[in-house]
């Protein structure tokens, strides 16, 4: 049995077309460049799409669950401070300073908490006996509860989506990336071995042919391993499970937030309607 026949038998049956292609190559052709199997190229494209999608989702979800920045909080608080200065009349300087110190002590965990703190602060400055003060107090109290639900959602998303998806990038994807590098390296080695065989003198031809066969065996082996690892990423049901957990966490948050706001809405509307009637009566 010649060496090329042995090579063909050593390749997995799933790879018989590829093995036959390699086995039938004529090493005397000019400047041969080993082609990657069509199945490998197609799988690589699918794998790349999944890899980039996973990276983007993890990055965006980290931002989605991250606390608001100091800049955003300060801007929001400044807007409420400006509003207070317009509608609250003259404020006590010490109270303002104390409120500012309180704002600087901690950064809200969510945007909802930032809105809640600013609303409650303004309600105290305006006065709970004022319609706006009373409404802002109710609004701030509910927003704080919504913020607590947001934290619960974010923790769930972090534990059930971000962490496992990031682990996939650090383990499975990393292994597949290394395997792809091995394929590229083995391909170059095979091409080099073919070039040496092509230019080898008769006395060195057998040794050069054995080097080609060895390089071919290694190339097929690393290609199969890379495909196995990429297929594990592409076909794994785990991302769907993590995505389902993400959706469930969001659904629970929005349901609870909607229930809280549904209870608040009629109370705010009642204050608004009453104030509207008083305003029209006094300005007839």
């Amino acid at each position: 049995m010649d060496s090329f026949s042995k090579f063909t038998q050593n390749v997995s049956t799933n790879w018989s077309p590829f093995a036959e292609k390699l086995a039938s190559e004529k090493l005397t052709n000019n400047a041969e460049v080993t082609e990657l199997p069509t199945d490998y190229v197609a799988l690589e494209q699918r794998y790349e799409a999944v890899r980039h999608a996973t990276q983007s989702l993890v990055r965006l979800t980290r931002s989605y669950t991250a606390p608001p920045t100091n800049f955003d909080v300060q801007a929001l608080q400044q807007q409420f401070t400006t509003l207070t200065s317009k509608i609250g009349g003259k404020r006590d300087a010490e109270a303002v300073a104390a409120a500012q110190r309180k704002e600087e002590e901690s950064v809200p965990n969510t945007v909802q908490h930032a809105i809640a703190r600013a609303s409650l602060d303004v309600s105290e400055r305006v006065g709970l006996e004022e319609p706006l003060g009373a409404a802002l107090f109710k609004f701030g109290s509910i927003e704080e509860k919504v913020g607590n639900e947001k934290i619960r959602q974010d923790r769930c998303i972090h534990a059930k989506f971000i962490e496992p998806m990031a682990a996939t990038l650090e383990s499975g994807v990393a292994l597949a990336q290394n395997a792809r590098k091995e394929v590229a390296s083995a391909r170059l080695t095979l091409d080099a071995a073919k070039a040496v065989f092509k230019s080898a003198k008769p006395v060195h031809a057998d040794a050069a042919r054995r080097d080609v066969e060895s390089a071919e065996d290694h190339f097929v082996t690393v290609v199969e391993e890379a495909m196995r690892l990429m297929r594990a990423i592409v076909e794994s049901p785990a991302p769907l499970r993590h995505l389902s957990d993400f959706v469930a966490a969001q659904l629970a948050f929005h349901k609870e937030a909607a229930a809280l706001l549904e209870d608040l809405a009629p109370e705010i509307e009642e204050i608004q309607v009453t104030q509207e009637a008083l305003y029209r009566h006094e300005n007839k």
Side-chain angles (χ1 to χ4, degrees), residues 46 54 56 71 74 89 91 111 114 120 133-134 167 176 209 212 215 221 239-240 243 246 249 255 265:
R46 295 171 60 201
T54 302
S56 297
F71 175 81
Q74 290 173 357
R91 297 169 295 166
V111 172
L120 293 172
R209 179 182 289 274
V212 171
T221 298
L240 291 173
L243 184 60
F246 191 157
K255 278 185 175 181

Side-chain angles (χ1 to χ4, degrees), residues 63-69 72-73 76-77 80 107-121 136-154 250 253-254 256-258 260-261 264:
S63 298
Y64 173 71
T65 58
T69 63
D72 291 336
V73 174
L76 178 64
Q77 291 169 337
F80 272 91
V107 176
N109 295 318
T110 67
V111 172
Q112 289 83 3
H113 282 108
I115 294 174
R117 295 180 187 182
S119 299
L120 293 172
D121 178 57
L136 284 172
F137 179 80
K138 292 177 178 293
F139 175 64
S141 300
I142 292 298
E143 279 297 294
E144 187 169 5
K145 293 180 179 179
V146 173
N148 292 339
E149 292 301 322
K150 177 64 163 57
I151 290 176
R152 186 175 291 107
Q153 173 209 242
D154 292 348
Q250 279 197 317
F253 164 66
H254 287 294
E256 188 60 32
L260 290 167
L261 293 172
L264 172 66

Side-chain angles (χ1 to χ4, degrees), residues 49-100:
V50 172
R51 183 173 73 90
H52 286 298
T54 302
Q55 290 175 331
S56 297
L57 283 172
V58 170
R59 181 176 64 255
L60 292 172
T61 308
R62 287 188 190 279
S63 298
Y64 173 71
T65 58
T69 63
N70 285 329
F71 175 81
D72 291 336
V73 174
Q74 290 173 357
L76 178 64
Q77 291 169 337
Q78 181 60 42
Q79 290 174 9
F80 272 91
T81 299
T82 301
L83 173 64
T84 304
S85 66
K86 293 180 179 179
I87 64 175
K90 184 178 180 180
R91 297 169 295 166
D92 182 80
E94 293 183 0
V96 174
Q100 290 176 341

Side-chain angles (χ1 to χ4, degrees), residues 5 8 11 27 46 85-86 130 135 171 179 214 217-218 271-272:
S5 297
T8 304
V11 178
L27 298 177
R46 295 171 60 201
S85 66
K86 293 180 179 179
E130 295 289 339
S171 57
S214 176
D217 287 341
H218 179 63
I271 295 175
Q272 181 268 323

